[in-house]
Amino acid sequence: MVAKLTYFWPKQFSMKPSSKFVIWFVPLAFAIYILINKFYFAELYHFLMNYTEAVLAYFMAYLLVGLPLFVTVIILFGRQSFEALGMSRSLLKGFGLALLFTLPMFIGYAVVFDFNQNLDWRQIMLGAVFAGFFEEMYFRAFFFGLLFRYTRLGFIPSVLLGAIIFGSLHLYQSNDIGVMTGIFITTILGAGFFAWLYTEWKFNFWFIAWLHTMMNLSWMLFEAGDNALGGIWSNVFRVMAIALAIFITIRYKSMHGSKWVINRNTLISKT
């Protein structure tokens, strides 16, 4: 969608935007998206259901509530919108890395848990694919990515607000205060982890989108838990996947002599 819209965008509007424009317009657009998503997503989804089947209606609703974000990135970056969102990176490499990093979850869950016999392709599309791709597009590539890459904000302030919102949006999964607290903390830490990987793997959107999707998919395929918190074995294999991702990232950067993007000079603000 972004690529098609930017095809006809004049070249003179493809300059790198000023940091002050990004730091004002990105949070504003994100706030508008959050409000539209909260108050109109369900209504929009049910309206679209009158004209098409459920999966396509859900996909279209996700796209439509994200219009403020797409419009903003095109205004700010023009022809460079695809690059700004990390979508010009290798899709195949992103898929391969995501598959490798989630192997502990797929293998571990297959051994410990029962296969979900009631799972169908519609649930996979809605709960794994759409959730993974759209959440990473809106929260990581747009909100975190644009703030961290194109302003003087450091990693922590760039990731913190989006992570808190991201965690808050998952609280519907339980009514128990203890479980809700666990879900909130887990999703906030997860948001920080995804932001770190996104940054150190050269802002490859496809990588984090596939990683999020495959983590969700493994959770759904083998009934690993009823919510994002999960149980003991659910988290054992999830931690193993995270540890594997961290280990391979460190080894890869070391072997290739790559500099760490996130360091003491970029944690709070860029010097």
Side-chain angles (χ1 to χ4, degrees):
M1 177 180 179
V2 177
K4 290 181 179 180
L5 289 172
T6 57
Y7 180 81
F8 299 101
W9 201 254
K11 291 184 178 179
Q12 59 266 35
F13 291 102
S14 297
M15 301 290 287
K16 182 178 177 180
S18 168
S19 173
K20 65 181 180 180
F21 284 111
V22 176
I23 208 167
W24 281 104
F25 282 103
V26 166
L28 176 61
F30 195 74
I32 294 172
Y33 151 70
I34 290 294
L35 291 174
I36 295 175
N37 183 67
K38 180 176 177 61
F39 294 108
Y40 297 105
F41 180 89
E43 185 176 335
L44 183 58
Y45 168 64
H46 290 297
F47 171 77
L48 293 169
M49 280 279 288
N50 295 320
Y51 302 96
T52 186
E53 56 91 30
V55 174
L56 184 56
Y58 208 78
F59 175 78
M60 293 173 65
Y62 251 128
L63 278 180
L64 290 172
V65 298
L67 278 178
L69 310 185
F70 291 121
V71 170
T72 299
V73 77
I74 291 170
I75 290 173
L76 290 174
F77 297 93
R79 287 174 174 261
Q80 300 302 316
S81 297
F82 224 49
E83 165 62 25
L85 293 174
M87 298 179 72
S88 61
R89 305 297 183 184
S90 172
L91 188 153
L92 189 60
K93 181 178 180 180
F95 177 81
L97 285 170
L99 179 60
L100 175 62
F101 291 173
T102 52
L103 281 179
M105 295 178 71
F106 280 105
I107 296 172
Y109 294 165
V111 173
V112 175
F113 300 113
D114 294 326
F115 183 78
N116 187 353
Q117 300 285 348
N118 298 317
L119 190 66
D120 62 29
W121 72 274
R122 293 177 181 83
Q123 291 173 302
I124 291 174
M125 292 301 295
L126 271 58
V129 180
F130 291 169
F133 273 77
F134 281 109
E135 286 180 7
E136 293 308 316
M137 170 66 72
Y138 296 164
F139 282 86
R140 235 71 65 199
F142 181 85
F143 192 66
F144 163 75
L146 298 187
L147 288 178
F148 182 68
R149 296 177 71 183
Y150 299 102
T151 75
R152 293 177 62 91
L153 287 178
F155 178 78
I156 292 176
S158 296
V159 77
L160 194 56
L161 179 58
I164 292 173
I165 297 173
F166 186 70
S168 301
L169 293 178
H170 288 77
L171 294 181
Y172 70 91
Q173 297 175 359
S174 177
N175 293 318
D176 181 88
I177 188 65
V179 175
M180 289 173 66
T181 301
I183 292 172
F184 185 67
I185 293 173
T186 299
T187 49
I188 284 182
L189 292 175
F193 173 67
F194 275 93
W196 178 75
L197 286 178
Y198 178 55
T199 302
E200 298 301 348
W201 285 98
K202 300 181 179 179
F203 302 100
N204 187 331
F205 163 74
W206 306 109
F207 164 46
I208 54 166
W210 278 118
L211 183 64
H212 193 152
T213 296
M214 290 185 186
M215 282 186 161
N216 285 1
L217 180 60
S218 66
W219 201 268
M220 297 170 68
L221 283 177
F222 301 103
E223 299 183 330
D226 296 326
N227 54 57
L229 184 58
I232 295 175
W233 282 111
S234 303
N235 286 295
V236 165
F237 296 114
R238 178 160 56 181
V239 169
M240 288 175 64
I242 293 170
L244 179 63
I246 293 172
F247 174 77
I248 292 178
T249 300
I250 293 173
R251 287 289 297 166
Y252 180 86
K253 302 278 281 191
S254 177
M255 289 174 61
H256 290 80
S258 303
K259 293 183 179 180
W260 291 98
V261 179
I262 302 169
N263 53 61
R264 63 181 182 180
N265 295 320
T266 60
L267 273 180
I268 306 299
S269 64
K270 302 186 186 77
T271 55

